[in-house]
Amino acid sequence: MKRHRMKTPPAVSSFDSTSPTRSGSAVWKRYRDWVFGAALVLATVLVYQPAWHGKPLLDDASRFVITPEQQSWNGLARLWIQPRTTWQYHPLVDTMYWVENKLWGEDVFGYHLVTIALHVAAALLLVKILRKLQIRGAWLAAAIFALHPVLVESVAWMVELKNTLSGIFFFGAILAYLNFDESRRPQTYLLVVLLFTLGILAKAIVATVPAVVLILIWWKRGRVDWQRDVKPLLLFVVLAIAAGLLTAWMERAFSGAEGEEFQLSIVDRFLIAGRAFWFYIGKLFFPRDLSLIYPRWKIDSSTWWQYLFPIAALGLFWFAWSQRRHWRWLFAASLFFAATVVPLLGFFNVGFFRLSFVADHFAYLPSLAVIVPTAAGATWLVDHGGRWRLPLHSLAAALLSTLAVLSWMQSHMYRDVETCYRMVLARNPNSWTAHQNIAGELLGRGQLDDAAAEFRKVLELEPNYVQATKRAYFGLGSVLVKKGRLNEAIKLFETVLKLDPVFGPAHNGIASALHRSGRLAEAIAEYERAVELRPESEGILSNLAWMLATCGDPSLRNGPRALAVAERADRLSGDANPRVLRSLAAAYAEVEQFGQAAKTARRALGLSLQDGESSFTKALRREISLFDAGRAYHEAAPPARAD
């Protein structure tokens, strides 16, 4: 048709269900989309099977866990109107977590299933968009997008719900705008506004939609008209700028995207951007050695070869621009990649840059700039392959199978903390974050010597980074407490407080050591300081309540105060933490509410027995017998002990 002067390939291809087949039956042509769609859904769900029950990683717990106080309607409202309640302003994502918490609580399978479903839905929307644009290989592109191992991080890592959710609105807004571009109906424009607004409330990357739409319009028509094409997008540009500024501010204010690690010159940032540009393209074509945390590059503006990356990137854009009359798709794809990845190339501070300048989840939408042209080119080869069509079809099937296997293998990384960080260390042995997280897991399992070795490795790798060293010293102190070397532990906790005077867990650690060594008044004072610093910590509140209720020194016991603190801890834990319930039961007994004490202790016992019999459950049984007899439980004051 003359109207658009389109130079794009027709929508007739081997990987597009709208194309005619020479020998296919009418029934097959009628239901082929349903078959392809069902196959894509099934394949994607199975590929992510290793991550179905994947445990929280890194900051997952702080991002997606909805506290009992947030579970009310008032708590939901605060997620929208008080940005400080989360690290970043993603209120739509927080609302999804809120709803999911109501549906399946702490069962991670539900969270993973939703994210996988969103990813598949995004792939199906991609088919609709490519059909609308008359780009070859819509189903092949969707399959590559759904099964590519670089995108596993966005789907299998629980906290990246913001990627898959915002992806739905990104694709939906583009598809709706393409429909508006044809019909010019106000209702369709309002739909675009709605989808775009919801999208930026999920993640600010959706702010790139106006740029992407203009790129697609230029690719279709070879030009952009101010009145027809630009003016309708001005509203979105204003919203996009506002979203970008808010995100940049919150990254600095709440996500830690400031400090010495972010003191980078303009030249440094261009060097990072150039290297990251080719890193993502390379990983998309050759997805080897993928990792949750890649090594953080040493950027040195005096090293000549580091300039090759940005120079080569600029050279690619110059070449694409010079060939735009012949290969308009190449310049359009380059612009799309730049538009969607530039916010994450290092020009703006992002909290994750403290660990690495690149991450697979940054490539979720930019990957389309590589995937779509590759699928279109492969389809063109098949359509013009003549007698080679069957081998080329087999090659495409082999490609998808390879991607599926690689993604299935990559999904194993997200099963649990230790598996994930062991895989990180295999590719990035100097990742202090990985050592820190493995140490925490080992400490929790009682492998004290192994945990201590990992904490010491953190100190070796990051001796000058306060956030790393304070947690490593705290971990070593916790190891020593469990070993009974209490005075040494206290010294380490005091070292932590020199690094960070308001680090509440250090006061809690000192209190625990003092408690065990028989210095009870000092222990209570430290717990009180810890509560002042961490008033939302159910664990610290529970420890304080336990001491106030059960202290071996009668002059230090305070039943009413213990009960108030324990009830606060129980509300924060959602009445589901057996250790908190044990403290609450002891507090009830101290104020002579023995019936309530026995009932609460039995609830704690029931929850604890889900993990089998232990010293904790045996202690609960002894305490229940005391409560049933109308007696409170009091500790014997332990003798002072030295290391």
Side-chain angles (χ1 to χ4, degrees), residues 173 176-177 186-200 232 235-236 239:
Y177 196 91
Q187 304 96 305
T188 309
Y189 185 81
L190 291 176
L191 176 61
V192 179
V193 173
L194 175 63
L195 292 172
F196 180 78
T197 303
L198 291 173
I200 59 177
L235 171 62
F236 304 106
L239 293 173

Side-chain angles (χ1 to χ4, degrees), residues 271-578:
L271 294 177
I272 294 169
R275 193 164 176 178
F277 180 91
W278 291 110
F279 174 89
Y280 291 124
I281 291 176
K283 288 296 182 184
L284 288 166
F285 279 113
F286 305 102
R288 295 178 64 250
D289 298 328
L290 302 179
S291 180
L292 180 67
I293 305 171
Y294 292 102
R296 193 176 192 268
W297 303 321
K298 303 295 183 182
I299 301 301
D300 185 357
S301 58
S302 65
T303 304
W304 67 270
W305 60 264
Q306 295 194 14
Y307 289 88
L308 296 179
F309 295 105
I311 290 172
L314 293 173
L316 172 63
F317 280 99
W318 173 83
F319 176 77
W321 171 253
S322 67
Q323 300 299 314
R324 67 190 181 282
R325 293 187 179 181
H326 306 290
W327 297 341
R328 193 187 302 165
W329 65 269
L330 179 59
F331 190 57
S334 301
L335 288 176
F336 180 98
F337 188 79
T340 52
V341 83
V342 157
L344 303 168
L345 287 184
F347 295 113
F348 308 97
N349 290 352
V350 176
F352 195 83
F353 288 171
R354 192 180 293 280
L355 305 180
S356 175
F357 290 121
V358 289
D360 288 350
H361 65 273
F362 292 160
Y364 189 69
L365 293 177
S367 67
L368 297 169
V370 172
I371 291 172
V372 172
T374 299
T379 304
W380 184 90
L381 285 175
V382 171
D383 290 343
H384 295 80
R387 61 179 181 172
W388 295 98
R389 285 169 63 91
L390 183 58
L392 289 171
H393 271 290
S394 300
L395 189 61
L399 167 67
L400 293 179
S401 299
T402 300
L403 293 176
V405 170
L406 290 174
S407 291
W408 181 80
M409 294 171 63
Q410 186 68 10
S411 296
H412 284 78
M413 175 179 283
Y414 301 91
R415 290 188 307 181
D416 56 68
V417 171
E418 187 167 2
T419 298
C420 174
Y421 293 110
R422 293 292 183 194
M423 292 177 71
V424 169
L425 290 178
R427 299 173 175 97
N428 182 11
N430 292 327
S431 171
W432 68 265
T433 307
H435 286 290
Q436 184 83 54
N437 281 275
I438 289 173
E441 283 293 296
L442 295 173
L443 177 61
R445 294 208 299 261
Q447 296 174 239
L448 303 182
D449 291 335
D450 292 337
E454 292 293 338
F455 284 126
R456 284 193 287 269
K457 186 66 176 178
V458 174
L459 293 173
E460 176 188 330
L461 292 170
E462 288 290 341
N464 300 316
Y465 178 38
V466 172
Q467 294 300 318
T469 56
K470 75 176 184 182
R471 294 185 181 279
Y473 282 125
F474 178 77
L476 286 170
S478 301
V479 168
L480 293 177
V481 168
K482 289 180 178 292
K483 286 188 170 186
R485 295 161 59 182
L486 303 175
N487 290 338
E488 291 179 56
I490 290 172
K491 289 178 181 178
L492 284 174
F493 293 137
E494 289 173 343
T495 300
V496 173
L497 291 174
K498 290 177 183 177
L499 294 170
D500 184 356
V502 296
F503 190 61
H507 286 289
N508 185 68
I510 292 173
S512 177
L514 291 171
H515 184 186
R516 293 182 182 219
S517 62
R519 296 156 64 180
L520 304 181
E522 295 173 76
I524 290 175
E526 286 295 329
Y527 278 133
E528 292 284 8
R529 292 190 192 98
V531 166
E532 288 177 11
L533 295 170
R534 292 290 181 90
E536 305 299 312
S537 172
E538 62 191 65
I540 296 175
L541 288 166
S542 177
N543 291 339
L544 174 59
W546 177 260
M547 279 213 71
L548 292 173
T550 68
C551 185
D553 183 346
S555 67
L556 297 176
R557 290 200 292 269
N558 185 335
R561 166 79 170 143
L563 183 58
V565 173
E567 287 177 335
R568 167 74 170 155
D570 189 49
R571 286 195 298 272
L572 287 169
S573 68
D575 196 39
N577 185 324

Side-chain angles (χ1 to χ4, degrees), residues 143-210:
I144 295 174
F145 178 77
L147 302 175
H148 202 292
V150 168
L151 307 187
V152 167
E153 183 170 298
S154 294
V155 183
W157 188 8
M158 293 176 68
V159 78
E160 286 306 315
L161 170 67
K162 56 182 179 284
N163 252 8
T164 51
L165 181 61
S166 63
I168 290 291
F169 293 107
F170 178 86
F171 289 122
I174 290 174
L175 182 60
Y177 196 91
L178 293 175
N179 290 331
F180 166 75
D181 189 51
E182 293 178 352
S183 67
R184 296 285 147 168
R185 297 174 60 189
Q187 304 96 305
T188 309
Y189 185 81
L190 291 176
L191 176 61
V192 179
V193 173
L194 175 63
L195 292 172
F196 180 78
T197 303
L198 291 173
I200 59 177
L201 290 172
K203 190 176 181 181
I205 191 65
V206 178
T208 61
V209 164

